[in-house]
Amino acid sequence: MQTLESLLKKGTTILKDNGLEEAGLDAWLLLEFKTGKNRAYYFAHGDEPVSDETAAEYLTLIGRRAGHIPVQQLTHQAFFMGYEFYVNENVLIPRQDTETLVELVLNEQKDKNISILDMCTGSGCIAVSLKKLGGYACVEGADISEEALKVAKRNSEEILENSDVNSSRTGVIFRRSDMFSAFPETERFNVIVSNPPYIPSAVIEGLEPEVRDHEPRGALDGTADGLYFYRILAEECAKHLTPGGHVYFEIGYDQGAAVKELLDIHGFKDTRVIQDLTGKDRVVCGTWQTAGV
């Protein structure tokens, strides 16, 4: 019968043999997920036997990870802004880079009575985090993918269900929309945020297989130059913002100047490029003002 220690060693070896750089960490994360034992327990009880059933299930997960399926898709767990989000193959895995956008909105938008739209919401990590941490009166999320919206709704229910605000205001409202197609021009928000697909099509083929082969292509592909969705956002956001409303867009590290220019061309004021903790351009933001202001 396998022990915790022998099972971890076997899993690590399999992943190393398949060229995974973080073999030890990935093997451990899957062991912790499958057995429910944390590191402290493991170091104290590494010789504890593991049932044949649990060992077989663990090695199945190891085999799938060896095929470059992301750990987060295997465990259906991804951590963002201190919360655990459910993820599957239909949504991008939330990344720490995106926390820069959420933190910027929280720091700059202190009025809890505002309305916020998260365009291309995916897993809902941005919208749900803003609702949970900002306590804003109205947060909505939109996505073209029905399967992504199922994930987003699940995250809203699971993370916001214990919110201390009135139950009628606890959740995020989600709707299916091809960008702004489901939004009449009379519907306006104080803030629009987005982490749209922004990787140039030709670049995707060179990405690591975990991303290229296992995350949804539609959530990655920004077409030829990566700017397709920013052009739509720059043109259409003004129709759905209150005067003086704000936009915050996550960008690729080399897209700051181009996206800022798009906002400038379409009449946004006070446009800025914000860096993440590593010093890379990560967010472009601006303020909408009506013509003549």
Side-chain angles (χ1 to χ4, degrees):
M1 180 173 286
Q2 300 274 7
T3 64
L4 289 170
E5 182 177 11
S6 67
L7 202 55
L8 179 61
K9 288 181 178 178
K10 180 177 289 189
T12 301
T13 298
I14 292 171
L15 296 185
K16 281 183 178 179
D17 290 346
N18 282 274
L20 274 74
E21 293 184 3
E22 300 289 340
L25 175 60
D26 291 351
W28 164 254
L29 290 172
L30 292 174
L31 183 69
E32 183 179 39
F33 169 72
K34 197 68 239 175
T35 65
K37 309 299 185 184
N38 61 27
R39 284 189 179 274
Y41 188 95
Y42 171 83
F43 287 123
H45 307 282
D47 59 350
E48 179 178 292
V50 177
S51 71
D52 291 341
E53 180 181 3
T54 297
E57 292 173 351
Y58 171 71
L59 292 174
T60 296
L61 288 176
I62 288 292
R64 297 182 68 198
R65 179 68 190 109
H68 294 278
I69 297 175
V71 169
Q72 294 91 335
Q73 288 184 8
L74 296 174
T75 63
H76 298 297
Q77 298 170 330
F79 292 89
F80 184 81
M81 296 299 296
Y83 297 98
E84 181 183 316
F85 284 80
Y86 173 86
V87 296
N88 60 23
E89 69 279 3
N90 297 304
V91 296
L92 286 185
I93 297 166
R95 288 162 168 81
Q96 187 175 7
D97 292 340
T98 306
E99 294 186 358
T100 301
L101 184 154
V102 173
E103 290 167 351
L104 185 62
V105 176
L106 292 172
N107 288 335
E108 295 188 353
Q109 305 299 324
K110 301 296 187 181
D111 184 354
K112 296 185 182 298
N113 293 314
I114 64 173
S115 58
I116 299 178
L117 171 63
D118 174 25
M119 182 57 68
C120 307
T121 195
S123 69
C125 65
I126 294 174
V128 172
S129 296
L130 288 173
K131 182 68 174 179
K132 181 71 173 180
L133 296 171
Y136 299 112
C138 176
V139 179
E140 296 197 26
D143 204 286
I144 193 173
S145 168
E146 287 281 11
E147 293 305 314
L149 289 172
K150 291 177 183 178
V151 173
K153 290 173 183 177
R154 174 171 177 167
N155 283 321
S156 179
E157 292 169 359
E158 293 183 353
I159 294 173
L160 298 174
E161 64 182 357
N162 296 321
S163 175
D164 57 3
V165 297
N166 182 276
S167 60
S168 66
R169 299 174 63 184
T170 57
V172 175
I173 299 168
F174 293 103
R175 71 177 90 177
R176 184 178 183 276
S177 183
D178 183 358
M179 298 303 286
F180 291 95
S181 64
F183 293 82
E185 289 191 18
T186 54
E187 189 168 7
R188 296 178 180 270
F189 298 84
N190 301 108
V191 176
I192 297 177
V193 302
S194 185
N195 178 18
Y198 60 70
I199 301 176
S201 302
V203 173
I204 292 177
E205 293 307 317
L207 297 177
E208 58 188 7
E210 283 82 352
V211 177
R212 181 191 66 225
D213 299 333
H214 297 288
E215 294 201 71
R217 185 66 63 103
L220 297 168
D221 195 343
T223 71
D225 63 358
L227 300 176
Y228 175 81
F229 293 98
Y230 296 113
R231 293 188 181 94
I232 296 174
L233 288 165
E235 181 176 355
E236 296 294 323
C237 277
K239 302 174 184 178
H240 300 281
L241 282 169
T242 58
H246 304 274
V247 294
Y248 297 85
F249 304 149
E250 179 172 331
I251 58 168
Y253 72 94
D254 58 351
Q255 295 173 322
V259 176
K260 181 180 184 300
E261 182 180 13
L262 285 171
L263 290 181
D264 291 337
I265 289 171
H266 285 87
F268 285 84
K269 307 299 182 182
D270 303 321
T271 54
R272 296 169 290 151
V273 180
I274 306 298
Q275 286 74 43
D276 59 22
L277 292 176
T278 68
K280 295 179 180 179
D281 289 352
R282 187 56 58 193
V283 177
V284 172
C285 51
T287 302
W288 172 247
Q289 297 182 0
T290 55
V293 175

